Amino acid sequence: MLFYESMPLLHEKRKKEKTMSDITRILHVLGGTGLGGAESRIMDLYRQMDRNEIQFDFLVHSEALNHVHSEAVRKPQFYDEEIEKMGGHIYVLPKFKVYNYFAYRKAVKAFFAKHHEFRVVQGHMTSTASIYLPLAKKAGIPVTVAHSRNAGVEKGLKGMATKFLRKNLYKKADYCFACSKLAGEDVFGKDWVEKGNVKIIHNAIDAGKFTYNADKRAAIRQKLQIEDKFVLGHVGRFNAQKNHPYLMEVFAAICQKREDAVLFLLGDGPDREKIEQKCEELGIRDKVFFTGNQKEPEAYYQAFDVFLLPSFYEGLPGVLVEAQAAGLRCFVSDTITKEAQATELVTYLSIEQPAKKWAEEILSQASYERKDRYQELSASGFDVKSQAEGYRKFYLNGDCSGL
């Protein structure tokens, strides 16, 4: 057997859940359960569900397979504990490597041969959705969804393989969802989007949690000992997509004009060491704070003065929505969809221009009124509390009208 359940629950708990046939179970397919954008948005939605009515489960991927004993050797990830506490199950498939196509397909087939309890399989990992969604459907799953969460792929062979595997994905799912028009076009094609066959569902957040609060801002800035600093912030995984080297150059240019400038980087990832070295080379290491992943990032948003996101591509970045909810002036690359602009706080800039141009624009807008933006976020459809009701209707009866 090529798949395993990563965190077996107590026998009595499983026995109890099996008797609760009235609960609708939804399976979300992801790369993992770490602190990523898609994962965070799904967890925001999960927390809003009445779990006596709708329950989420997760099918993730890992290289850590023990084929001999079929045991769980995958290391726990950021959201694992919370998922289990809320009654969700986590299942694991082998990581797809192209060359293991047949083994991967066999593992998926075996999984759905065993698990018939899901009403909906929602695939957020679109690189292999053309494999697992048709197999889920064939196994009797009533509803399959391909959900595009990004508007670009990595460069090189991996990106080419992803594009090839996504070809005709729109034909292999009952529903096509996307977090933005750009993300929909990238995965399903412009024609399919223009025909109205892709449901655009913006990444919603728990906006109330991020709402600007002057007292909280003062408290966190005092705790971090940055009361008298000009604080720039960024939240994102350390990988090529986020364009951290350019961000460091922008910050270095700002430091030439503002001695009180500091930069906080929330997140982790494979390129973190390279970025730390880049800071050393630019002479700004003592002004850059690498915080790692944070369980309560909303506190840091309060502490920031401005937010930066010079990504090469995004779907619809939840972190940008969070920053606006916190009332922050945001400076982002013009490759990011305008659909993420819920307020007038967002300034789009080209990453093709010298970093000093970004620095000049940021400093020219450094003074502004910070205020509560909850109503604007909610009116724009970015509050997960209202979006959750739309998903509830869809999960229970396939009604998309509320999404």
Side-chain angles (χ1 to χ4, degrees):
M1 185 163 60
L2 296 177
F3 71 90
Y4 58 89
E5 299 181 8
S6 68
M7 270 146 293
L9 302 177
L10 294 174
H11 175 72
E12 288 303 314
K13 182 180 178 183
R14 285 192 179 276
K15 184 178 179 181
K16 180 181 178 182
E17 289 179 342
K18 286 180 180 179
T19 65
M20 300 173 69
S21 58
D22 56 326
I23 294 179
T24 298
R25 303 199 77 89
I26 310 301
L27 184 69
H28 293 276
V29 186
L30 293 155
T33 50
L35 191 61
E39 295 86 343
S40 295
R41 301 293 73 81
I42 295 165
M43 291 303 294
D44 282 340
L45 182 64
Y46 191 12
R47 297 181 193 110
Q48 301 300 319
M49 292 289 127
D50 177 353
R51 291 183 291 281
N52 290 316
E53 181 181 52
I54 295 173
Q55 181 58 258
F56 285 4
D57 294 321
F58 297 79
L59 181 59
V60 300
H61 296 69
S62 175
E63 294 179 345
L65 289 173
N66 186 333
H67 294 297
V68 178
H69 301 292
S70 297
E71 294 176 351
V73 292
R74 166 183 170 269
K75 291 182 180 180
Q77 293 187 311
F78 190 86
Y79 288 118
D80 285 5
E81 184 178 355
E82 184 179 2
I83 289 169
E84 287 195 298
K85 283 182 178 178
M86 291 196 290
H89 301 154
I90 301 172
Y91 307 100
V92 183
L93 288 172
K95 193 170 183 178
F96 183 73
K97 296 284 191 177
V98 180
Y99 62 78
N100 69 340
Y101 173 86
F102 293 104
Y104 179 81
R105 184 181 172 87
K106 183 178 180 181
V108 173
K109 190 174 181 179
F111 175 80
F112 285 112
K114 179 180 179 182
H115 293 278
H116 308 281
E117 64 267 35
F118 312 113
R119 184 180 187 279
V120 179
V121 173
Q122 191 165 347
H124 309 272
M125 188 175 175
T126 56
S127 57
T128 56
S130 61
I131 301 173
Y132 62 75
L133 288 182
L135 287 174
K137 192 70 177 180
K138 190 174 182 180
I141 301 299
V143 179
T144 60
V145 180
H147 197 145
S148 174
R149 294 281 187 175
N150 222 328
V153 296
E154 294 182 26
K155 294 180 179 180
L157 289 175
K158 185 175 181 180
M160 292 173 64
T162 297
K163 287 184 177 181
F164 176 78
L165 288 165
R166 285 175 175 172
K167 189 176 181 181
N168 296 328
L169 174 58
Y170 64 93
K171 295 180 179 179
K172 299 176 181 179
D174 295 322
Y175 294 88
C176 296
F177 290 174
C179 64
S180 68
K181 185 178 178 181
L182 278 178
E185 290 176 352
D186 185 71
V187 173
F188 305 115
K190 189 173 182 179
D191 183 60
W192 203 242
V193 172
E194 290 181 347
K195 286 180 178 177
N197 294 324
V198 178
K199 187 72 177 178
I200 306 300
I201 308 169
H202 292 156
N203 289 335
I205 66 166
D206 186 352
K209 190 167 69 172
F210 292 87
T211 300
Y212 174 64
N213 182 292
D215 292 335
K216 290 181 180 179
R217 171 178 166 81
I220 186 65
R221 285 173 71 94
Q222 182 179 35
K223 180 181 178 180
L224 297 172
Q225 299 182 340
I226 53 172
E227 299 100 314
D228 59 344
K229 301 296 185 182
F230 176 48
V231 185
L232 299 96
H234 170 83
V235 182
R237 180 172 165 78
F238 285 88
N239 63 7
Q241 174 189 344
K242 302 300 181 181
N243 200 14
H244 283 93
Y246 187 81
L247 174 58
M248 297 308 107
E249 292 175 10
V250 171
F251 179 63
I254 288 173
C255 288
Q256 293 176 7
K257 303 289 186 179
R258 293 280 300 255
E259 292 185 1
D260 61 339
V262 293
L263 173 64
F264 278 76
L265 300 173
L266 277 64
D268 217 331
D271 290 349
R272 175 170 170 167
E273 213 172 288
K274 293 179 183 178
I275 302 308
E276 290 180 351
Q277 181 58 40
K278 178 78 172 179
C279 291
E280 294 284 358
E281 294 170 1
L282 292 170
I284 57 173
R285 184 63 186 87
D286 61 332
K287 291 175 172 287
V288 181
F289 297 87
F290 293 78
T291 73
N293 292 327
Q294 294 293 317
K295 287 188 176 181
E296 297 180 348
E298 60 270 21
Y300 284 86
Y301 282 101
Q302 299 294 328
F304 298 161
D305 291 307
V306 297
F307 181 79
L308 309 180
L309 192 67
S311 304
F312 285 112
Y313 59 88
E314 295 279 355
L316 192 149
V319 293
L320 179 54
V321 180
E322 292 171 351
Q324 291 175 82
L328 283 168
R329 183 74 72 188
C330 305
F331 299 87
V332 309
S333 61
D334 59 7
T335 59
I336 294 174
T337 177
K338 302 300 187 293
E339 294 167 78
Q341 188 176 15
T343 69
E344 85 287 353
L345 291 168
V346 184
T347 297
Y348 290 88
L349 300 168
S350 171
I351 52 177
E352 299 297 324
Q353 62 183 340
K356 67 178 182 179
K357 294 294 185 181
W358 273 61
E360 290 170 1
E361 188 64 36
I362 292 165
L363 292 173
S364 72
Q365 298 188 51
S367 297
Y368 62 97
E369 181 186 4
R370 191 89 175 263
K371 60 182 181 180
D372 186 333
R373 300 283 182 158
Y374 178 80
Q375 292 302 325
E376 290 174 75
L377 268 291
S378 182
S380 299
F382 286 106
D383 185 34
V384 73
K385 287 182 174 63
S386 57
Q387 191 179 90
E389 180 57 27
Y391 266 111
R392 175 184 173 275
K393 290 178 180 178
F394 173 71
Y395 289 145
L396 292 177
N397 55 40
D399 180 4
C400 286
S401 62
L403 292 173

